[in-house]
Amino acid sequence: MATTQIYIGGIPASAGDRWVLRERALDIYAHLRQANQPAPTVALLNVAAGPSSAGVDLLLLRPRALLAGTLRTFDGPIEALPGRPWRGLGGATPPLPGPSPLDVARAARDAVALRLRDPLDRWGVPRAPRILGAVVLFPAIHPDSRISLDIDDHRQGLKVLGLDELAGVAAMVSSGVELTEEQMRAVAEHVFGGRLWVDGGRMLFDLAPARFALRLLDGERAGEAVPLPEGETVVGRRRTARRYERRVAIGGDDLISSDHALLLCGDDEAVRLRDTSKNGTWIVRSDGQEQHLRGAEQVLAPGAVLRMGVTRMRLERLND
């Protein structure tokens, strides 16, 4: 199978934005891998293409194709017709906020083209390739959407497509170049400043370091401190993660549910616990008394001791 690599340009400042970027990047990687195409693919996300550009969400490089554009998620079907604002369908249909996604994709395409117009002899990259500008909808275009582009949009190489169509479109389009895998990596890393993030299915670094850990006090993993990455971590008896789930698996305690609780780490100095279990979670107070939490959410400070089933665990701040 040909290599598929994901590069990250800029890392967002907020935990929420980092979480979105992580999910989108892994979704793109999964779709490109599932396509099982023979040509290598390099995808670069969240890159500043120039001082006047608002940024490029996605730059996709294949030996004969370059695609630059914006990534969007809409709840429900949309209407995107030539010369009209984009609207959500169903009920009242006010224009969707912000600039037209097609205009954003056009700006991203032009910013990438301008950067690649500079002399790139050092990397052996052909000059002035034809770049496709795209609006990529996650996870797909809703079947009830009404989307139509005018003839000028088509002539300018602008597209609206779902994530599920990305690999197929990239395989069909031709940018008039013939890039080697080394040249594609040079464009992502040296021309646009990307950092290799996923290579061969391995995630090489976290978008932000873990600031908290869950130290297990009982059971077969007693004494182990498990770092809690940003976003959601599932604690429970089930050992196998689903999709991109991060989890702490606890065995040997039948009173713990398969998915007992969620621990949510954001930008602040606390962690939110959301109980999703049958029996509930106990929070041990400093006086030794236990607070029973069931089907509810509680903010935890470092040092808090939890009990799930008969297994205790303590929330700790890393590097304290």
Side-chain angles (χ1 to χ4, degrees), residues 42-79:
V42 168
L44 172 62
L45 284 90
N46 199 37
V47 58
S52 61
S53 172
V56 178
D57 291 341
L58 171 66
L59 175 59
L60 187 70
L61 301 108
R62 288 172 54 85
R64 297 183 179 180
L66 287 86
L67 178 149
T70 182
L71 309 176
R72 296 298 177 95
T73 300
F74 296 112
D75 295 327
I78 60 171
E79 179 185 74

PDB file of all heavy atoms in Angstrom, residues 42-79:
ATOM      1  N   VAL A  42       0.262  13.028   0.551  1.00  0.00           N
ATOM      2  CA  VAL A  42       0.660  13.869   1.678  1.00  0.00           C
ATOM      3  C   VAL A  42      -0.444  14.899   1.907  1.00  0.00           C
ATOM      4  O   VAL A  42      -0.876  15.570   0.970  1.00  0.00           O
ATOM      5  CB  VAL A  42       2.000  14.581   1.395  1.00  0.00           C
ATOM      6  CG1 VAL A  42       2.265  15.671   2.436  1.00  0.00           C
ATOM      7  CG2 VAL A  42       3.146  13.579   1.389  1.00  0.00           C
ATOM      8  N   ALA A  43      -0.930  14.987   3.136  1.00  0.00           N
ATOM      9  CA  ALA A  43      -1.945  15.975   3.498  1.00  0.00           C
ATOM     10  C   ALA A  43      -1.382  16.882   4.578  1.00  0.00           C
ATOM     11  O   ALA A  43      -0.834  16.409   5.577  1.00  0.00           O
ATOM     12  CB  ALA A  43      -3.219  15.295   3.983  1.00  0.00           C
ATOM     13  N   LEU A  44      -1.519  18.183   4.374  1.00  0.00           N
ATOM     14  CA  LEU A  44      -1.066  19.190   5.336  1.00  0.00           C
ATOM     15  C   LEU A  44      -2.280  19.973   5.802  1.00  0.00           C
ATOM     16  O   LEU A  44      -3.048  20.486   4.988  1.00  0.00           O
ATOM     17  CB  LEU A  44      -0.053  20.118   4.676  1.00  0.00           C
ATOM     18  CG  LEU A  44       0.398  21.357   5.442  1.00  0.00           C
ATOM     19  CD1 LEU A  44       1.096  20.972   6.742  1.00  0.00           C
ATOM     20  CD2 LEU A  44       1.337  22.199   4.583  1.00  0.00           C
ATOM     21  N   LEU A  45      -2.466  20.070   7.117  1.00  0.00           N
ATOM     22  CA  LEU A  45      -3.629  20.750   7.682  1.00  0.00           C
ATOM     23  C   LEU A  45      -3.220  21.982   8.462  1.00  0.00           C
ATOM     24  O   LEU A  45      -2.168  22.026   9.089  1.00  0.00           O
ATOM     25  CB  LEU A  45      -4.404  19.803   8.605  1.00  0.00           C
ATOM     26  CG  LEU A  45      -5.248  18.750   7.888  1.00  0.00           C
ATOM     27  CD1 LEU A  45      -4.455  17.507   7.639  1.00  0.00           C
ATOM     28  CD2 LEU A  45      -6.496  18.439   8.702  1.00  0.00           C
ATOM     29  N   ASN A  46      -4.110  22.990   8.395  1.00  0.00           N
ATOM     30  CA  ASN A  46      -3.996  24.197   9.208  1.00  0.00           C
ATOM     31  C   ASN A  46      -2.678  24.916   8.964  1.00  0.00           C
ATOM     32  O   ASN A  46      -1.827  25.032   9.843  1.00  0.00           O
ATOM     33  CB  ASN A  46      -4.140  23.856  10.698  1.00  0.00           C
ATOM     34  CG  ASN A  46      -4.485  25.082  11.527  1.00  0.00           C
ATOM     35  OD1 ASN A  46      -5.228  25.940  11.081  1.00  0.00           O
ATOM     36  ND2 ASN A  46      -3.948  25.159  12.729  1.00  0.00           N
ATOM     37  N   VAL A  47      -2.536  25.435   7.746  1.00  0.00           N
ATOM     38  CA  VAL A  47      -1.293  26.083   7.357  1.00  0.00           C
ATOM     39  C   VAL A  47      -1.557  27.524   6.962  1.00  0.00           C
ATOM     40  O   VAL A  47      -2.575  27.835   6.343  1.00  0.00           O
ATOM     41  CB  VAL A  47      -0.609  25.317   6.194  1.00  0.00           C
ATOM     42  CG1 VAL A  47      -1.514  25.218   4.988  1.00  0.00           C
ATOM     43  CG2 VAL A  47       0.693  25.957   5.804  1.00  0.00           C
ATOM     44  N   ALA A  48      -0.660  28.427   7.341  1.00  0.00           N
ATOM     45  CA  ALA A  48      -0.708  29.811   6.888  1.00  0.00           C
ATOM     46  C   ALA A  48       0.081  29.880   5.587  1.00  0.00           C
ATOM     47  O   ALA A  48       1.298  29.677   5.578  1.00  0.00           O
ATOM     48  CB  ALA A  48      -0.109  30.746   7.934  1.00  0.00           C
ATOM     49  N   ALA A  49      -0.621  30.175   4.481  1.00  0.00           N
ATOM     50  CA  ALA A  49       0.038  30.142   3.166  1.00  0.00           C
ATOM     51  C   ALA A  49       0.665  31.471   2.786  1.00  0.00           C
ATOM     52  O   ALA A  49       1.421  31.549   1.824  1.00  0.00           O
ATOM     53  CB  ALA A  49      -0.965  29.718   2.096  1.00  0.00           C
ATOM     54  N   GLY A  50       0.344  32.541   3.506  1.00  0.00           N
ATOM     55  CA  GLY A  50       0.897  33.842   3.157  1.00  0.00           C
ATOM     56  C   GLY A  50       0.407  34.893   4.129  1.00  0.00           C
ATOM     57  O   GLY A  50      -0.576  34.696   4.839  1.00  0.00           O
ATOM     58  N   PRO A  51       1.067  36.048   4.199  1.00  0.00           N
ATOM     59  CA  PRO A  51       0.692  37.081   5.179  1.00  0.00           C
ATOM     60  C   PRO A  51      -0.703  37.634   4.971  1.00  0.00           C
ATOM     61  O   PRO A  51      -1.329  38.093   5.926  1.00  0.00           O
ATOM     62  CB  PRO A  51       1.766  38.162   4.955  1.00  0.00           C
ATOM     63  CG  PRO A  51       2.294  37.911   3.581  1.00  0.00           C
ATOM     64  CD  PRO A  51       2.236  36.436   3.375  1.00  0.00           C
ATOM     65  N   SER A  52      -1.230  37.597   3.754  1.00  0.00           N
ATOM     66  CA  SER A  52      -2.557  38.156   3.505  1.00  0.00           C
ATOM     67  C   SER A  52      -3.637  37.087   3.521  1.00  0.00           C
ATOM     68  O   SER A  52      -4.801  37.377   3.283  1.00  0.00           O
ATOM     69  CB  SER A  52      -2.574  38.866   2.136  1.00  0.00           C
ATOM     70  OG  SER A  52      -2.288  37.941   1.095  1.00  0.00           O
ATOM     71  N   SER A  53      -3.255  35.833   3.790  1.00  0.00           N
ATOM     72  CA  SER A  53      -4.209  34.737   3.748  1.00  0.00           C
ATOM     73  C   SER A  53      -4.733  34.428   5.143  1.00  0.00           C
ATOM     74  O   SER A  53      -4.007  34.466   6.123  1.00  0.00           O
ATOM     75  CB  SER A  53      -3.556  33.483   3.160  1.00  0.00           C
ATOM     76  OG  SER A  53      -4.413  32.366   3.289  1.00  0.00           O
ATOM     77  N   ALA A  54      -6.040  34.101   5.213  1.00  0.00           N
ATOM     78  CA  ALA A  54      -6.610  33.698   6.492  1.00  0.00           C
ATOM     79  C   ALA A  54      -6.197  32.288   6.867  1.00  0.00           C
ATOM     80  O   ALA A  54      -6.452  31.842   7.978  1.00  0.00           O
ATOM     81  CB  ALA A  54      -8.132  33.792   6.423  1.00  0.00           C
ATOM     82  N   GLY A  55      -5.554  31.588   5.962  1.00  0.00           N
ATOM     83  CA  GLY A  55      -5.102  30.241   6.257  1.00  0.00           C
ATOM     84  C   GLY A  55      -5.704  29.222   5.311  1.00  0.00           C
ATOM     85  O   GLY A  55      -6.720  29.444   4.674  1.00  0.00           O
ATOM     86  N   VAL A  56      -5.056  28.084   5.242  1.00  0.00           N
ATOM     87  CA  VAL A  56      -5.499  26.980   4.405  1.00  0.00           C
ATOM     88  C   VAL A  56      -5.782  25.802   5.325  1.00  0.00           C
ATOM     89  O   VAL A  56      -4.899  25.344   6.050  1.00  0.00           O
ATOM     90  CB  VAL A  56      -4.422  26.615   3.361  1.00  0.00           C
ATOM     91  CG1 VAL A  56      -4.872  25.430   2.514  1.00  0.00           C
ATOM     92  CG2 VAL A  56      -4.094  27.813   2.474  1.00  0.00           C
ATOM     93  N   ASP A  57      -7.020  25.322   5.328  1.00  0.00           N
ATOM     94  CA  ASP A  57      -7.369  24.193   6.183  1.00  0.00           C
ATOM     95  C   ASP A  57      -6.696  22.911   5.716  1.00  0.00           C
ATOM     96  O   ASP A  57      -6.273  22.094   6.525  1.00  0.00           O
ATOM     97  CB  ASP A  57      -8.888  23.986   6.202  1.00  0.00           C
ATOM     98  CG  ASP A  57      -9.627  25.091   6.927  1.00  0.00           C
ATOM     99  OD1 ASP A  57      -8.994  25.808   7.714  1.00  0.00           O
ATOM    100  OD2 ASP A  57     -10.838  25.236   6.697  1.00  0.00           O
ATOM    101  N   LEU A  58      -6.631  22.725   4.399  1.00  0.00           N
ATOM    102  CA  LEU A  58      -6.123  21.471   3.852  1.00  0.00           C
ATOM    103  C   LEU A  58      -5.343  21.724   2.574  1.00  0.00           C
ATOM    104  O   LEU A  58      -5.811  22.425   1.678  1.00  0.00           O
ATOM    105  CB  LEU A  58      -7.286  20.517   3.546  1.00  0.00           C
ATOM    106  CG  LEU A  58      -6.930  19.236   2.771  1.00  0.00           C
ATOM    107  CD1 LEU A  58      -6.031  18.330   3.609  1.00  0.00           C
ATOM    108  CD2 LEU A  58      -8.194  18.498   2.354  1.00  0.00           C
ATOM    109  N   LEU A  59      -4.141  21.153   2.519  1.00  0.00           N
ATOM    110  CA  LEU A  59      -3.367  21.091   1.287  1.00  0.00           C
ATOM    111  C   LEU A  59      -3.064  19.620   1.042  1.00  0.00           C
ATOM    112  O   LEU A  59      -2.376  18.982   1.834  1.00  0.00           O
ATOM    113  CB  LEU A  59      -2.072  21.888   1.403  1.00  0.00           C
ATOM    114  CG  LEU A  59      -1.108  21.800   0.203  1.00  0.00           C
ATOM    115  CD1 LEU A  59      -1.779  22.292  -1.072  1.00  0.00           C
ATOM    116  CD2 LEU A  59       0.162  22.592   0.471  1.00  0.00           C
ATOM    117  N   LEU A  60      -3.619  19.071  -0.034  1.00  0.00           N
ATOM    118  CA  LEU A  60      -3.460  17.662  -0.363  1.00  0.00           C
ATOM    119  C   LEU A  60      -2.558  17.540  -1.580  1.00  0.00           C
ATOM    120  O   LEU A  60      -2.793  18.174  -2.608  1.00  0.00           O
ATOM    121  CB  LEU A  60      -4.824  17.038  -0.655  1.00  0.00           C
ATOM    122  CG  LEU A  60      -4.843  15.524  -0.863  1.00  0.00           C
ATOM    123  CD1 LEU A  60      -4.559  14.797   0.444  1.00  0.00           C
ATOM    124  CD2 LEU A  60      -6.188  15.079  -1.426  1.00  0.00           C
ATOM    125  N   LEU A  61      -1.519  16.724  -1.460  1.00  0.00           N
ATOM    126  CA  LEU A  61      -0.564  16.548  -2.542  1.00  0.00           C
ATOM    127  C   LEU A  61      -0.498  15.087  -2.945  1.00  0.00           C
ATOM    128  O   LEU A  61      -0.370  14.198  -2.096  1.00  0.00           O
ATOM    129  CB  LEU A  61       0.839  17.012  -2.115  1.00  0.00           C
ATOM    130  CG  LEU A  61       0.958  18.473  -1.683  1.00  0.00           C
ATOM    131  CD1 LEU A  61       1.168  18.554  -0.180  1.00  0.00           C
ATOM    132  CD2 LEU A  61       2.088  19.163  -2.411  1.00  0.00           C
ATOM    133  N   ARG A  62      -0.608  14.868  -4.246  1.00  0.00           N
ATOM    134  CA  ARG A  62      -0.386  13.576  -4.850  1.00  0.00           C
ATOM    135  C   ARG A  62       0.561  13.776  -6.031  1.00  0.00           C
ATOM    136  O   ARG A  62       0.798  14.921  -6.435  1.00  0.00           O
ATOM    137  CB  ARG A  62      -1.707  12.957  -5.303  1.00  0.00           C
ATOM    138  CG  ARG A  62      -2.579  12.473  -4.132  1.00  0.00           C
ATOM    139  CD  ARG A  62      -3.956  12.040  -4.608  1.00  0.00           C
ATOM    140  NE  ARG A  62      -3.876  11.047  -5.660  1.00  0.00           N
ATOM    141  CZ  ARG A  62      -3.756   9.733  -5.461  1.00  0.00           C
ATOM    142  NH1 ARG A  62      -3.653   9.275  -4.220  1.00  0.00           N
ATOM    143  NH2 ARG A  62      -3.713   8.895  -6.461  1.00  0.00           N
ATOM    144  N   PRO A  63       1.142  12.707  -6.575  1.00  0.00           N
ATOM    145  CA  PRO A  63       2.135  12.911  -7.640  1.00  0.00           C
ATOM    146  C   PRO A  63       1.659  13.796  -8.785  1.00  0.00           C
ATOM    147  O   PRO A  63       2.452  14.558  -9.332  1.00  0.00           O
ATOM    148  CB  PRO A  63       2.407  11.477  -8.108  1.00  0.00           C
ATOM    149  CG  PRO A  63       2.190  10.650  -6.876  1.00  0.00           C
ATOM    150  CD  PRO A  63       1.029  11.292  -6.169  1.00  0.00           C
ATOM    151  N   ARG A  64       0.374  13.738  -9.132  1.00  0.00           N
ATOM    152  CA  ARG A  64      -0.127  14.529 -10.252  1.00  0.00           C
ATOM    153  C   ARG A  64      -1.229  15.500  -9.861  1.00  0.00           C
ATOM    154  O   ARG A  64      -1.916  16.039 -10.732  1.00  0.00           O
ATOM    155  CB  ARG A  64      -0.653  13.599 -11.352  1.00  0.00           C
ATOM    156  CG  ARG A  64       0.428  12.710 -11.952  1.00  0.00           C
ATOM    157  CD  ARG A  64      -0.114  11.861 -13.072  1.00  0.00           C
ATOM    158  NE  ARG A  64       0.927  11.028 -13.662  1.00  0.00           N
ATOM    159  CZ  ARG A  64       0.728  10.184 -14.668  1.00  0.00           C
ATOM    160  NH1 ARG A  64      -0.479  10.061 -15.209  1.00  0.00           N
ATOM    161  NH2 ARG A  64       1.736   9.456 -15.140  1.00  0.00           N
ATOM    162  N   ALA A  65      -1.405  15.721  -8.580  1.00  0.00           N
ATOM    163  CA  ALA A  65      -2.524  16.558  -8.158  1.00  0.00           C
ATOM    164  C   ALA A  65      -2.187  17.358  -6.921  1.00  0.00           C
ATOM    165  O   ALA A  65      -1.495  16.874  -6.022  1.00  0.00           O
ATOM    166  CB  ALA A  65      -3.756  15.689  -7.895  1.00  0.00           C
ATOM    167  N   LEU A  66      -2.677  18.613  -6.886  1.00  0.00           N
ATOM    168  CA  LEU A  66      -2.605  19.464  -5.703  1.00  0.00           C
ATOM    169  C   LEU A  66      -3.997  20.021  -5.450  1.00  0.00           C
ATOM    170  O   LEU A  66      -4.660  20.509  -6.374  1.00  0.00           O
ATOM    171  CB  LEU A  66      -1.616  20.617  -5.885  1.00  0.00           C
ATOM    172  CG  LEU A  66      -0.118  20.281  -5.869  1.00  0.00           C
ATOM    173  CD1 LEU A  66       0.336  19.863  -7.259  1.00  0.00           C
ATOM    174  CD2 LEU A  66       0.687  21.482  -5.403  1.00  0.00           C
ATOM    175  N   LEU A  67      -4.422  19.948  -4.203  1.00  0.00           N
ATOM    176  CA  LEU A  67      -5.746  20.447  -3.821  1.00  0.00           C
ATOM    177  C   LEU A  67      -5.588  21.277  -2.563  1.00  0.00           C
ATOM    178  O   LEU A  67      -4.936  20.844  -1.604  1.00  0.00           O
ATOM    179  CB  LEU A  67      -6.699  19.279  -3.594  1.00  0.00           C
ATOM    180  CG  LEU A  67      -8.128  19.570  -3.137  1.00  0.00           C
ATOM    181  CD1 LEU A  67      -9.078  18.497  -3.677  1.00  0.00           C
ATOM    182  CD2 LEU A  67      -8.227  19.631  -1.608  1.00  0.00           C
ATOM    183  N   ALA A  68      -6.174  22.479  -2.563  1.00  0.00           N
ATOM    184  CA  ALA A  68      -6.134  23.353  -1.388  1.00  0.00           C
ATOM    185  C   ALA A  68      -7.546  23.829  -1.090  1.00  0.00           C
ATOM    186  O   ALA A  68      -8.323  24.095  -2.013  1.00  0.00           O
ATOM    187  CB  ALA A  68      -5.214  24.552  -1.641  1.00  0.00           C
ATOM    188  N   GLY A  69      -7.876  23.945   0.174  1.00  0.00           N
ATOM    189  CA  GLY A  69      -9.227  24.405   0.441  1.00  0.00           C
ATOM    190  C   GLY A  69      -9.570  24.531   1.897  1.00  0.00           C
ATOM    191  O   GLY A  69      -8.707  24.586   2.775  1.00  0.00           O
ATOM    192  N   THR A  70     -10.887  24.555   2.137  1.00  0.00           N
ATOM    193  CA  THR A  70     -11.436  24.773   3.459  1.00  0.00           C
ATOM    194  C   THR A  70     -12.253  23.560   3.866  1.00  0.00           C
ATOM    195  O   THR A  70     -12.849  22.882   3.030  1.00  0.00           O
ATOM    196  CB  THR A  70     -12.307  26.044   3.483  1.00  0.00           C
ATOM    197  OG1 THR A  70     -12.796  26.267   4.798  1.00  0.00           O
ATOM    198  CG2 THR A  70     -13.503  25.932   2.534  1.00  0.00           C
ATOM    199  N   LEU A  71     -12.278  23.253   5.166  1.00  0.00           N
ATOM    200  CA  LEU A  71     -13.026  22.137   5.721  1.00  0.00           C
ATOM    201  C   LEU A  71     -14.225  22.682   6.480  1.00  0.00           C
ATOM    202  O   LEU A  71     -14.067  23.558   7.327  1.00  0.00           O
ATOM    203  CB  LEU A  71     -12.144  21.312   6.655  1.00  0.00           C
ATOM    204  CG  LEU A  71     -10.789  20.869   6.094  1.00  0.00           C
ATOM    205  CD1 LEU A  71      -9.980  20.151   7.168  1.00  0.00           C
ATOM    206  CD2 LEU A  71     -10.969  19.974   4.881  1.00  0.00           C
ATOM    207  N   ARG A  72     -15.411  22.159   6.200  1.00  0.00           N
ATOM    208  CA  ARG A  72     -16.626  22.668   6.833  1.00  0.00           C
ATOM    209  C   ARG A  72     -17.525  21.531   7.299  1.00  0.00           C
ATOM    210  O   ARG A  72     -17.593  20.484   6.657  1.00  0.00           O
ATOM    211  CB  ARG A  72     -17.412  23.548   5.855  1.00  0.00           C
ATOM    212  CG  ARG A  72     -16.688  24.823   5.426  1.00  0.00           C
ATOM    213  CD  ARG A  72     -16.415  25.744   6.600  1.00  0.00           C
ATOM    214  NE  ARG A  72     -15.677  26.919   6.225  1.00  0.00           N
ATOM    215  CZ  ARG A  72     -16.233  28.105   5.921  1.00  0.00           C
ATOM    216  NH1 ARG A  72     -17.556  28.227   5.938  1.00  0.00           N
ATOM    217  NH2 ARG A  72     -15.487  29.135   5.593  1.00  0.00           N
ATOM    218  N   THR A  73     -18.211  21.773   8.409  1.00  0.00           N
ATOM    219  CA  THR A  73     -19.214  20.845   8.915  1.00  0.00           C
ATOM    220  C   THR A  73     -20.534  21.591   9.046  1.00  0.00           C
ATOM    221  O   THR A  73     -20.578  22.674   9.637  1.00  0.00           O
ATOM    222  CB  THR A  73     -18.810  20.282  10.286  1.00  0.00           C
ATOM    223  OG1 THR A  73     -17.561  19.586  10.163  1.00  0.00           O
ATOM    224  CG2 THR A  73     -19.854  19.312  10.809  1.00  0.00           C
ATOM    225  N   PHE A  74     -21.587  21.037   8.472  1.00  0.00           N
ATOM    226  CA  PHE A  74     -22.915  21.637   8.557  1.00  0.00           C
ATOM    227  C   PHE A  74     -23.883  20.630   9.164  1.00  0.00           C
ATOM    228  O   PHE A  74     -23.815  19.434   8.866  1.00  0.00           O
ATOM    229  CB  PHE A  74     -23.421  22.058   7.175  1.00  0.00           C
ATOM    230  CG  PHE A  74     -22.600  23.139   6.522  1.00  0.00           C
ATOM    231  CD1 PHE A  74     -21.848  22.881   5.395  1.00  0.00           C
ATOM    232  CD2 PHE A  74     -22.577  24.423   7.050  1.00  0.00           C
ATOM    233  CE1 PHE A  74     -21.095  23.869   4.793  1.00  0.00           C
ATOM    234  CE2 PHE A  74     -21.818  25.416   6.460  1.00  0.00           C
ATOM    235  CZ  PHE A  74     -21.076  25.139   5.331  1.00  0.00           C
ATOM    236  N   ASP A  75     -24.782  21.118  10.013  1.00  0.00           N
ATOM    237  CA  ASP A  75     -25.820  20.271  10.587  1.00  0.00           C
ATOM    238  C   ASP A  75     -27.006  20.263   9.631  1.00  0.00           C
ATOM    239  O   ASP A  75     -27.773  21.216   9.565  1.00  0.00           O
ATOM    240  CB  ASP A  75     -26.253  20.789  11.962  1.00  0.00           C
ATOM    241  CG  ASP A  75     -25.132  20.711  12.982  1.00  0.00           C
ATOM    242  OD1 ASP A  75     -24.320  19.776  12.875  1.00  0.00           O
ATOM    243  OD2 ASP A  75     -25.057  21.590  13.853  1.00  0.00           O
ATOM    244  N   GLY A  76     -27.141  19.197   8.876  1.00  0.00           N
ATOM    245  CA  GLY A  76     -28.254  19.090   7.947  1.00  0.00           C
ATOM    246  C   GLY A  76     -27.893  19.554   6.548  1.00  0.00           C
ATOM    247  O   GLY A  76     -26.760  19.946   6.269  1.00  0.00           O
ATOM    248  N   PRO A  77     -28.874  19.529   5.637  1.00  0.00           N
ATOM    249  CA  PRO A  77     -28.620  19.885   4.238  1.00  0.00           C
ATOM    250  C   PRO A  77     -28.418  21.383   4.056  1.00  0.00           C
ATOM    251  O   PRO A  77     -28.870  22.193   4.870  1.00  0.00           O
ATOM    252  CB  PRO A  77     -29.893  19.418   3.526  1.00  0.00           C
ATOM    253  CG  PRO A  77     -30.951  19.470   4.585  1.00  0.00           C
ATOM    254  CD  PRO A  77     -30.264  19.102   5.871  1.00  0.00           C
ATOM    255  N   ILE A  78     -27.724  21.737   2.984  1.00  0.00           N
ATOM    256  CA  ILE A  78     -27.476  23.133   2.661  1.00  0.00           C
ATOM    257  C   ILE A  78     -27.862  23.403   1.218  1.00  0.00           C
ATOM    258  O   ILE A  78     -28.010  22.493   0.405  1.00  0.00           O
ATOM    259  CB  ILE A  78     -25.988  23.504   2.876  1.00  0.00           C
ATOM    260  CG1 ILE A  78     -25.084  22.631   1.980  1.00  0.00           C
ATOM    261  CG2 ILE A  78     -25.589  23.362   4.327  1.00  0.00           C
ATOM    262  CD1 ILE A  78     -23.642  23.069   1.967  1.00  0.00           C
ATOM    263  N   GLU A  79     -28.015  24.679   0.931  1.00  0.00           N
ATOM    264  CA  GLU A  79     -28.260  25.134  -0.435  1.00  0.00           C
ATOM    265  C   GLU A  79     -27.125  26.079  -0.814  1.00  0.00           C
ATOM    266  O   GLU A  79     -26.857  27.057  -0.123  1.00  0.00           O
ATOM    267  CB  GLU A  79     -29.604  25.861  -0.533  1.00  0.00           C
ATOM    268  CG  GLU A  79     -29.907  26.390  -1.922  1.00  0.00           C
ATOM    269  CD  GLU A  79     -31.177  27.200  -1.949  1.00  0.00           C
ATOM    270  OE1 GLU A  79     -31.159  28.361  -1.451  1.00  0.00           O
ATOM    271  OE2 GLU A  79     -32.204  26.689  -2.434  1.00  0.00           O
TER     272      GLU A  79
END
